[in-house]
C-alpha cells in the first residue's frame, strides 16, 4: 500500500502537483465533451466525420460542408478553416485521413481537391491551396479565370509552422517540411525539405518505412 501511494505521489509531482493534474483532467474532459457535441453539430450541418474526431475549439467551414471528410482520431485545433467553393455547380473537395493533426489556424482551400493521408501533421498557421487566379494582362485579377490542380499529401508527413502548399503538389509519405517553407513542386517520400521554394536537403532514410 505504501509503495503504491508513493508511486502515485511520484506521478503527481511529475505532473506538477495535484492542482496541475486536476487542470489537465478538467481540460481533457472538456475537450472530450466539446468534441462530442461539436461533432454532432458538424454532422447535422453536412460534414462527413468517420468516427470520433477531436476538436479543441470551433473551426470554420466555408462553402459546401458535404464536400469535406475528416477521418477518425484526427485532432483539429481552434481556428482551423476548411474551404470549398459552393458557387455554380460547386467546386473543391477536402479529404482528411485518420489521426491527422491540424494545429491552430491551419487553412485548407480547395477548388479541385486536397487529400491528406493518415498520421500527417500541420503546424500552426499552415496554408494549403489548390487554386489561384490567372495573370493575363488587361483583366482585373478578380475577373481572371480560376486555375486549379489537385494536392495530394501522403501519410506521416510533418509540416512545420506556417508552411504554404500550392496547387498541383504531391508530397510523398514520411517527408518533413521545415517551418515557413513554400511547397510549389512535388516532393518525394522520406525526405526533409526547407526553404522558399522548398528543396530537399537530406533524406530520412528508407522511404518504404513511412508507407506501412
Amino acid at each position: 500500500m505504501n509503495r503504491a501511494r508513493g508511486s502515485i505521489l511520484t506521478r503527481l509531482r511529475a505532473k506538477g502537483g495535484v492542482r496541475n493534474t486536476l487542470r489537465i483532467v478538467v481540460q481533457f474532459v472538456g475537450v472530450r465533451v466539446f468534441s462530442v457535441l461539436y461533432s454532432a453539430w458538424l454532422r447535422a450541418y453536412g460534414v462527413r466525420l468517420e468516427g470520433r474526431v477531436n476538436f479543441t475549439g470551433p473551426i470554420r467551414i466555408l462553402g459546401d460542408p458535404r464536400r469535406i471528410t475528416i477521418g477518425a482520431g484526427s485532432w483539429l485545433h481552434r481556428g482551423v478553416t476548411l474551404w470549398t467553393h459552393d458557387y455554380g455547380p460547386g467546386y473543391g473537395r477536402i479529404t482528411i485521413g485518420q489521426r491527422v493533426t491540424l494545429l491552430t489556424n491551419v487553412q485548407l482551400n480547395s477548388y479541385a481537391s486536397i487529400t491528406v493521408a493518415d498520421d500527417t501533421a500541420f503546424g500552426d498557421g499552415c496554408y494549403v491551396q489548390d487554386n489561384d487566379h490567372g495573370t493575363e494582362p488587361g483583366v482585373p485579377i478578380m475577373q481572371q479565370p480560376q486555375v486549379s490542380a489537385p494536392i495530394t499529401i501522403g501519410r506521416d508527413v510533418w509540416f512545420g509552422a506556417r508552411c504554404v502548399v500550392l496547387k498541383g503538389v504531391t508530397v510523398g509519405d514520411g517527408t518533413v517540411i521545415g517551418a515557413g517553407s513554400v511547397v510549389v513542386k512535388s516532393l518525394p517520400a522520406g525526405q526533409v525539405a526547407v526553404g522558399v521554394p522548398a528543396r530537399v536537403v537530406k533524406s530520412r532514410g528508407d522511404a518504404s518505412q513511412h508507407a506501412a
Side-chain angles (χ1 to χ4, degrees):
M1 178 69 71
N2 288 337
R3 182 176 297 177
R5 185 179 300 170
S7 177
I8 292 172
L9 290 173
T10 299
R11 292 177 182 177
L12 286 174
R13 291 192 189 99
K15 290 290 187 181
V18 174
R19 182 176 297 178
N20 193 54
T21 300
L22 288 175
R23 180 191 63 79
I24 293 171
V25 170
V26 169
Q27 185 178 31
F28 176 79
V29 172
V31 167
R32 280 293 183 89
V33 172
F34 177 81
S35 295
V36 170
L37 297 176
Y38 197 63
S39 293
W41 181 84
L42 287 175
R43 286 191 173 98
Y45 187 53
V47 178
R48 183 178 179 184
L49 304 182
E50 297 182 330
R52 190 178 75 193
V53 179
N54 306 287
F55 299 91
T56 67
I59 66 173
R60 293 195 303 168
I61 303 294
L62 303 178
D64 187 349
R66 297 170 300 174
R67 297 174 178 270
I68 297 171
T69 301
I70 306 172
S74 292
W75 281 85
L76 280 71
H77 288 240
R78 181 182 299 273
V80 164
T81 298
L82 304 177
W83 184 5
T84 63
H85 296 261
D86 59 357
Y87 42 80
Y91 298 93
R93 186 170 300 278
I94 297 172
T95 305
I96 297 170
Q98 298 182 23
R99 299 176 301 278
V100 172
T101 299
L102 281 71
L103 293 186
T104 306
N105 296 327
V106 171
Q107 297 188 51
L108 276 58
N109 178 338
S110 176
Y111 195 87
S113 68
I114 297 173
T115 303
V116 181
D118 301 344
D119 300 304
T120 284
F122 294 85
D124 294 304
C126 287
Y127 188 82
V128 182
Q129 179 167 327
D130 67 9
N131 62 93
D132 58 29
H133 292 278
T135 57
E136 293 297 322
V139 180
I141 288 296
M142 296 308 295
Q143 297 177 24
Q144 297 272 355
Q146 202 82 12
V147 181
S148 62
I151 291 173
T152 302
I153 296 169
R155 60 177 293 134
D156 190 31
V157 176
W158 177 23
F159 293 90
R162 297 177 180 82
C163 288
V164 175
V165 184
L166 300 181
K167 68 179 187 297
V169 162
T170 296
V171 179
D173 297 339
T175 287
V176 174
I177 317 295
S181 297
V182 178
V183 184
V184 298
K185 293 184 179 181
S186 296
L187 297 169
Q191 307 299 309
V192 176
V194 298
V196 182
R199 293 185 173 89
V200 172
V201 293
K202 65 179 181 179
S203 172
R204 290 187 67 199
D206 184 0
S208 66
Q209 295 178 359
H210 308 286

